[in-house]
Amino acid sequence: MRHAYVSVEGIARRYPGATVFEDLWFGVNRGEFVCVVGHSGCGKTTVLNILAGLEAPSAGEVIVDGQAIEGPSLDRAVIFQGHALMPWMTAEQNVGFALSCRHRGWPRARLREAARAALVRVGLEQAAEKKPSQLSGGMKQRVGIARALAIEPKMLLMDEPFSALDALTRGVLQDEVARLVAEADQTAFMITHDVDEAILLADRILLMTNGPEARLAEIVVNTLPRPRQRATLHRMPGYHALRDHILEFLITRSRTLAGAPPAGWDPRRVPELRPADAPAALAAP
Amino acid sequence: MQTQVPFWRAALLSLALLALLLGGWEFAARSGGAVGGTAIDPEYAALVGAAAAQGGQTPMPMPSEIGARLWQLLRDPFYVRGTNDQGIGIQIAYSLGRVGIGFALAALVAIPLGFLIGMSPLLAAALNPFIQVLRPVSPLAWMPLALYTIKDSSISAVFVIFICSVWPMLLNTAFGVAGVRREWLNVARTLEAGRLKTALRVILPAAAPTILTGMRISIGIAWLVIVAAEMLVGGTGIGYWVWNQWNNLSLADIVIAILLIGVVGLLLDRLLGWVAGAVAWQE
C-alpha cells in the first residue's frame, strides 16, 4: 500500500449521532481493478464520492498520486448509477461536453471527431445524433461509459453502473467494460451488489460490514487468471470457492462482524484472503 | 383521456357557434334599434340632437357594422393624422413596443437574479419576504410612484410592464435552477467545468423549460396590464385608443379593439410557446 496510486487513509463519514463508517484504510494500485461489495447503508457510495472529490470525508484523507484530494478532478472520471446524461444534448454532444472540459482549446470540429471516436469504441456510432430519451437503458449507460473514457482519466470510478439494467444488457456491458479497462490498462474502482460482476472484473474485492459504523472487514484477492469471460467464468477452477466466500460474507459475516471490531483489530492491516487458491475439495462443503 | 376528434369537426362546430353568436347579436341589435320610437318633444330633439333625445343611449353596434368598421381600420392601419388620430396598427405597435421593452428589461433582471436565488438558499430565504409582499401588488399601484419619479408617462408604462413581468420570471427561474438534478451538477463538477460553463451549458438548458413557462406567464400578464396602463397614461397605444373610442362613444371600435387585443395576446403566447418547444427536453 506504500506505493499505491490511490491511498485511502483513515477516512470516516460521521453525521451528528451516527457514524456511517470510520477509520477506513485501503489502496488502489495503478492499473488495478478494485470492487467494493457490501450491503446498502455501509457507505459505499460515500466512499466513491470521496474518491471522486464530490464529498469531503469527516476525517482522514485520500492521497492520489502523492497529493491529497481537494475536489473533483478530470483525472478521476465517474460513471454514475443513473447514466446522468444531459437529456437536452445528443449522445455526441454529451461526450463532446466532457471533451470540451478536458481539452479547452480544441475547435468544435475536433471535439466532434473525438466524441464520435469515443462512441465508436462503445459501439454506438449509429446513435451519435440521438438524444438520451431515444436510447435504451443499456445504450445510455454506454454513452456514460464513452463520456468517462473519452477524457482519458487516470482512474475510473463506477457506482453500481449496471444495476438499473436488465440481466442480458448488464452481461454485455460487463464484458465491454472488462475489455475497455484491459485495453487502456485503466485503474478502476467500482461499487457493486453483484458478486459475479465483482469476480469477473476485479483484481481485489473489498468486503464491508453492515453499517452503521461499517468497516472494511476483508480484502479478497481475485486470483482467477485473466482474461476472464462471463460465459466461462463459472467453470474456472477456484471460481466457486471465491463466490461462496463472498456470498457467505454477504449473507452472514457482514452482519456478525458488524459493530465493534475484535480485539487487536488493525484497520490498516485488513486480512487479505485468496479463497480461489484453496483446493476445491477443501472449499466445497 | 378524451379521444381525439378530427380537426374539421371541431372547426365546423366553432364556425357554427360563431355564426350563431353573430347572428343572434345582429338580430337582437336590429330589433332593439326598432323599438326606441317613443314620442319626443321636437324642441328638445333640436336642442340636444336626435340621437340623445331618443333616450341618450347609443345603440349597440351590429356585427355587420363592426365588420365594415374593421375593414375600414385594417385597410389603412398605419395612418397618422395628428396626435389623436393614428391608425390602429400604430397603436398596437406602440403597445407592443412598451411590452417588448418592459418585458426584455424584466428578463434581463429576473433571469440572472433568479439564477442567484436558485443557487443560493441563503439569498432565496433573504429575498423571499420582499418577493412575497411585492408580487401580489397590482402593477398599476406602482403607476403614481413611477409617474412621480420618472416624470414621463410613456416610460412609466414601460416600468409598470417591467414590474408585472418580473415576478413570474424571477420565481420560475429560481425554481428551475434550484431543481436542476444533483447528478448533472456532479457530472459538471467531476469534469471540472467552470462556473460559467456549468451555468450556461448545464443549469440554463436544464432550467430552460421552467424559465420559459415563467416568461409565458409574464408576457400574458404584461399584455393584460398594458391596456390598463395606457388608459391611465394616455397619448398612444391600444389601451389609450380604447379609452379614446369610449369617449367618442364608438362602441364598434371598442369591440374591434377587444378582438385585436385578444389576437395579439394569442400570437405573443404562441411565439413563446414555440420557443418553449424549442428548448424543451425529454428524459
Side-chain angles (χ1 to χ4, degrees):
Chain A
M1 233 178 271
R2 277 75 47 199
H3 303 294
Y5 172 61
V6 178
S7 173
V8 174
E9 307 194 342
I11 59 169
R13 158 64 77 222
R14 300 190 200 98
Y15 295 106
T19 301
V20 183
F21 58 82
E22 200 159 28
D23 218 7
L24 210 59
W25 298 71
F26 65 87
V28 181
N29 295 315
R30 221 178 273 275
E32 191 182 27
F33 200 125
V34 171
C35 270
V36 179
V37 176
H39 287 288
S40 306
C42 72
K44 304 186 298 284
T45 297
T46 310
V47 172
L48 185 126
N49 281 346
I50 291 171
L51 283 176
L54 292 170
E55 283 182 47
S58 310
E61 56 185 356
V62 179
I63 313 286
V64 176
D65 224 358
Q67 286 220 311
I69 287 182
E70 303 268 328
S73 160
L74 277 162
D75 288 337
R76 297 185 304 279
V78 183
I79 297 177
F80 294 88
Q81 184 173 9
H83 50 86
L85 299 179
M86 318 280 175
W88 54 90
M89 297 183 189
T90 62
E92 185 193 287
Q93 286 167 337
N94 265 289
V95 179
F97 175 67
L99 280 162
S100 74
C101 294
R102 170 60 107 184
H103 308 284
R104 277 161 211 276
W106 279 17
R108 205 172 281 258
R110 189 162 178 201
L111 288 171
R112 278 177 62 96
E113 208 175 292
R116 288 266 171 173
L119 288 172
V120 168
R121 272 166 75 195
V122 296
L124 275 186
E125 59 270 41
Q126 78 289 354
E129 299 297 335
K130 291 200 171 135
K131 298 261 173 83
S133 58
Q134 299 165 286
L135 301 175
S136 69
M139 288 162 103
K140 282 185 233 183
Q141 199 52 281
R142 268 168 208 250
V143 178
I145 293 167
R147 176 172 67 182
L149 292 177
I151 58 172
E152 289 162 355
K154 292 186 178 155
M155 184 177 196
L156 199 55
L157 301 168
M158 290 174 270
D159 184 2
E160 299 188 33
F162 313 127
S163 62
L165 304 176
D166 63 271
L168 217 62
T169 316
R170 191 188 310 153
V172 174
L173 278 186
Q174 283 166 354
D175 277 343
E176 202 128 324
V177 164
R179 175 178 65 82
L180 291 166
V181 166
E183 269 174 20
D185 199 20
Q186 187 79 55
T187 310
F189 180 86
M190 175 158 118
I191 291 171
T192 182
H193 274 124
D194 184 337
V195 175
D196 280 333
E197 185 171 290
I199 295 175
L200 177 71
L201 296 171
D203 297 307
R204 281 189 301 148
I205 301 162
L206 310 183
L207 300 179
M208 287 182 77
T209 65
N210 291 356
E213 292 178 51
R215 66 202 157 78
L216 184 55
E218 284 174 15
I219 295 175
V220 173
V221 181
N222 186 352
T223 48
L224 297 183
R226 284 182 188 275
R228 299 174 200 137
Q229 293 282 316
R230 211 164 29 96
T232 55
L233 187 68
H234 61 282
R235 288 203 223 105
M236 287 179 130
Y239 162 80
H240 286 287
L242 185 60
R243 187 170 198 277
D244 290 347
H245 182 89
I246 300 170
L247 275 179
E248 274 162 25
F249 179 88
L250 284 177
I251 293 165
T252 51
R253 278 179 298 143
S254 63
R255 191 157 34 81
T256 53
L257 290 176
W265 173 259
D266 183 356
R268 303 188 191 202
R269 280 191 199 75
V270 174
E272 280 205 0
L273 296 139
R274 291 168 157 50
D277 280 350
L282 280 179
Chain B
M1 269 309 277
Q2 283 179 310
T3 48
Q4 201 68 37
V5 293
F7 169 76
W8 63 269
R9 283 173 71 178
L12 217 60
L13 187 58
S14 285
L15 284 176
L17 285 172
L18 183 69
L20 198 68
L21 178 78
L22 293 181
W25 182 352
E26 182 92 22
F27 176 76
R30 271 182 200 282
S31 52
V35 171
T38 46
I40 313 152
D41 184 350
E43 279 182 44
Y44 176 64
L47 212 62
V48 298
Q54 283 204 343
Q57 197 90 9
T58 305
M60 190 68 186
M62 285 176 287
S64 52
E65 291 169 344
I66 295 170
R69 176 73 179 138
L70 180 64
W71 173 240
Q72 197 186 340
L73 284 172
L74 289 186
R75 235 177 23 189
D76 184 16
F78 297 109
Y79 71 85
V80 179
R81 290 186 211 112
T83 44
N84 276 339
D85 192 9
Q86 304 187 8
I88 189 136
I90 290 189
Q91 307 292 6
I92 288 178
Y94 272 118
S95 299
L96 276 176
R98 288 187 187 117
V99 165
I101 295 169
F103 180 79
L105 289 175
L108 283 179
V109 171
I111 292 173
L113 192 61
F115 243 79
L116 292 179
I117 293 174
M119 299 221 260
S120 154
L122 172 71
L123 210 57
L127 290 181
N128 194 41
F130 298 100
I131 296 172
Q132 294 307 330
V133 168
L134 294 181
R135 191 173 60 110
V137 175
S138 164
L140 293 173
W142 292 86
M143 186 63 100
L145 270 187
L147 286 170
Y148 176 75
T149 45
I150 301 171
K151 298 189 174 62
D152 179 294
S153 61
S154 198
I155 300 177
S156 296
V158 170
F159 172 78
V160 165
I161 294 303
F162 167 85
I163 279 289
C164 74
S165 333
V166 91
W167 308 116
M169 280 197 265
L170 184 67
L171 290 174
N172 267 55
T173 305
F175 180 72
V177 168
V180 174
R181 291 263 202 82
R182 181 131 295 276
E183 54 181 0
W184 296 332
L185 298 175
N186 279 345
V187 168
R189 286 178 65 202
T190 56
L191 291 172
E192 293 185 74
R195 272 169 177 274
L196 189 67
K197 192 166 191 173
T198 304
L200 291 181
R201 298 222 33 205
V202 180
I203 299 174
L204 187 62
T210 324
I211 297 175
L212 252 296
T213 305
M215 294 176 87
R216 223 168 149 179
I217 298 170
S218 281
I219 200 96
I221 296 176
W223 190 242
L224 289 180
V225 165
I226 191 66
V227 175
E230 283 170 348
M231 283 180 176
L232 283 173
V233 298
T236 48
I238 190 73
Y240 163 75
W241 193 79
V242 169
W243 200 247
N244 210 19
Q245 301 312 344
W246 166 236
N247 286 335
N248 293 339
L249 277 182
S250 27
L251 293 179
D253 286 350
I254 291 170
V255 174
I256 286 167
I258 289 171
L259 191 69
L260 289 179
I261 291 168
V263 169
V264 172
L266 174 72
L267 291 178
L268 287 175
D269 185 66
R270 278 297 146 91
L271 180 71
L272 280 175
W274 178 77
V275 178
V279 301
W281 46 262
Q282 202 188 352
E283 284 231 51

